[in-house]
Amino acid sequence: MTGAETIAECLKAQGVEFVFGIRGLHITAVADAAKRRGIRYIEVRHEQSAAFMADAYARVTGGVGVVIAGTGAGAAATMVGLQEAYCSSSPVLLIASQIEQAHLQKGWGDLHEVKNQHGLISNVAEACYDVSTPADIPHSLQAIFSRIAHERPRPYGLEIPVDVLNAELATPFSYQPVTHTPRLPDAQKLAEAVERIARAGRPVIYSGGGAISSDAGQAVQRLAERLNAPVLTSIKGKGVLSETHDLSLGNLGTEGPVRALIEKTDFAIVVGTRFSNRSTGKWSLRLPPQWVRVDIDEQQFAKTHPDIQGSHVVELAGDARITLEYILGRLEKQSSRQQGLEHIEVIRAKKQTIESVRATYPAEVTLLEDIRHVLKRDAIVTNDSTMATYWARRYFEVYEPRTFLWAMGSGTIGFGLPAAIGAKLAKPDRQVLALCGDGGFLFSCQELSTAVKHRVAIVVLLFNDNAFGMVDYGQRKDGHLFGDEALANPDFIALARSFGAEAERVDSLNQIGEVVKKALARNRLTVIEVPVALHPPPDLA
């Protein structure tokens, strides 16, 4: 068994279903070995897209997305995707080849040689593991999967010299698959947290992506209903509680009516969030000062922006799901008492927010409602950083966890299309819709070829304003436009059809719901161009 075959055996034992990448000369043996063991290999048209697909796969399944890349340029091309996975706490594994060990650091001009590939990967991953013999491979992969399972989900790198990939394993193959064993926080702190929550009169819950990563949605809902506590979320936390639930306020925490409601609360339960700039309206969110805070990464407690931090906080370092279930178990043993806010108050605050926005921006709000109406509850929406997404992050209702994906961590563009492909491969029975802008779409439009090859039936809504719209808007506000910013775009309909996709153009936002409905029923790769510029949402205006 060679080093490449050892990698494939470990991945198979760990339950890996897909590998995304391009067969660079040094890494081809890994792709071949994976395919021979029944792991589906998805060859993409750019390694950055492979990282985005793996990220989306990880987000919708809760598993690990695996990328392979050749030495040098191939590995370097994944960096934007790995950086996004790091910022969004997404478990992605990059397996990258390296030149022969005897040639490292010599500068002899080996094929694909780069100055410091290990450092390159380490800068955008939690860690990069290097191996020097095939026998090191199982130990390194076990360490990586163990860290992913028991620490904050993050991307990791495994760098393997080409001579190690081709060398024979000198010892019997042995790999023990890693299983997730969630951990509870410190018992004394848990007891204090239960006591404080029990005393709270009008609590509010703020839930982030960490709650979704730990599958804590049901626990969040039960706790909210037990306490009559409204639930706010970060953008990545959208869907942890269905946004049709009476107690759900989604990502509306900085809207006027919701802000007024939160001022009535006296206690916050904060679950799995870093309180990012975008999710909190540039840290303008205001929660009551007394908190219980749950996070798998205890270092996050000290990293919170000073404008957000609570002044009296019980910090619980542990898995969100089992921690909330433990707290619920203790609360349910106590005599129940009426507490919290009336559901009607929460419903009213949300309704007032939406109707206020609708009064000024009727077309944009109706657009989101029309899209939501034609999608199933479990449909997955992937987002590029386009104006439509800036609307959707707040005002598009999400009903289930792991169904709203956006590269908001590092704010890159080009994520929407490859993420939709990765999500559809992971969940072939789900509807998948990508919201893209013309600027971001051309970062990854070549992946239409990947979608056609693998019969990936997604729908792409392509909003075309012939601009990097968000960038132009920011410059326009500052008076810095020079008049040469308009993009020279192709004929998107002809472009999509040249790849073998269905394609059509709509000229009115009112048509989008019906056109998307028909495209979903067609169950084929479809690009819908919308040559209409959207207004920026009010929080950006």
Side-chain angles (χ1 to χ4, degrees), residues 26 69-78 96-99 111-114 117 120:
H26 289 169
T71 314
T78 68
S97 58
Q98 179 55 285
I99 64 173
L111 181 66
H112 304 314
E113 181 180 8
V114 293
Q117 181 175 287
L120 189 70

Side-chain angles (χ1 to χ4, degrees), residues 349-360:
K350 183 176 180 180
K351 183 177 180 180
Q352 288 174 343
T353 296
I354 299 301
E355 292 309 313
S356 174
V357 176
R358 189 195 305 277
T360 309

Side-chain angles (χ1 to χ4, degrees), residues 262-470:
I262 301 309
E263 288 178 356
K264 297 181 180 181
T265 63
D266 61 3
F267 194 85
I269 302 167
V270 177
V271 187
T273 182
R274 62 176 179 162
F275 291 111
S276 71
N277 175 294
R278 285 178 172 174
S279 286
T280 61
K282 299 180 181 178
W283 301 294
S284 64
L285 177 72
R286 292 295 173 262
L287 297 175
Q290 306 239 6
W291 294 6
V292 162
R293 186 173 186 184
V294 184
D295 205 291
I296 193 68
D297 181 8
E298 61 184 328
Q299 295 182 20
Q300 193 59 51
F301 298 141
K303 294 179 180 178
T304 303
H305 192 281
D307 287 348
I308 293 286
Q309 286 178 340
S311 56
H312 301 86
V313 183
V314 180
E315 297 171 345
L316 303 178
D319 178 84
R321 180 182 60 80
I322 65 166
T323 299
L324 294 185
E325 288 175 348
Y326 177 92
I327 291 170
L328 272 163
R330 294 301 178 271
L331 292 175
E332 288 167 353
K333 291 181 179 179
Q334 301 178 8
S335 57
S336 63
R337 61 185 180 88
Q338 187 63 35
Q339 58 181 350
L341 296 173
E342 295 289 339
H343 288 217
I344 191 63
E345 294 182 83
V346 182
I347 295 169
R348 185 186 303 119
K350 183 176 180 180
K351 183 177 180 180
Q352 288 174 343
T353 296
I354 299 301
E355 292 309 313
S356 174
V357 176
R358 189 195 305 277
T360 309
Y361 303 96
E364 284 79 6
V365 173
T366 300
L367 167 68
L368 297 180
E369 292 175 341
D370 287 348
I371 293 172
R372 179 70 270 181
H373 179 70
V374 299
L375 294 176
K376 294 180 180 179
R377 291 187 63 86
D378 64 353
I380 298 167
V381 177
T382 69
N383 294 271
D384 234 315
S385 286
T386 184
M387 198 67 78
T389 290
Y390 277 84
W391 278 98
R393 64 179 178 158
R394 288 201 175 193
Y395 309 114
F396 179 79
E397 286 193 333
V398 178
Y399 300 153
E400 293 191 11
R402 303 186 186 277
T403 61
F404 189 82
L405 315 184
W406 184 24
M408 61 159 291
S410 61
T412 186
I413 61 177
F415 177 81
L417 173 59
I421 295 170
K424 185 68 172 180
L425 288 167
K427 300 290 184 180
D429 295 331
R430 301 273 196 96
Q431 296 174 333
V432 178
L433 174 73
L435 298 181
C436 298
D438 51 309
F441 182 73
L442 286 182
F443 270 56
S444 51
C445 66
Q446 69 278 357
E447 301 310 333
L448 291 174
S449 171
T450 307
V452 168
K453 177 179 178 179
H454 295 284
R455 296 182 175 84
V456 179
I458 59 174
V459 175
V460 179
L461 259 182
L462 172 56
F463 292 88
N464 179 13
D465 58 1
N466 294 301
F468 289 118
M470 286 302 305

Side-chain angles (χ1 to χ4, degrees), residues 85-96:
Y86 183 89
C87 291
S88 286
S89 300
S90 193
V92 173
L93 168 62
L94 168 65
I95 300 172

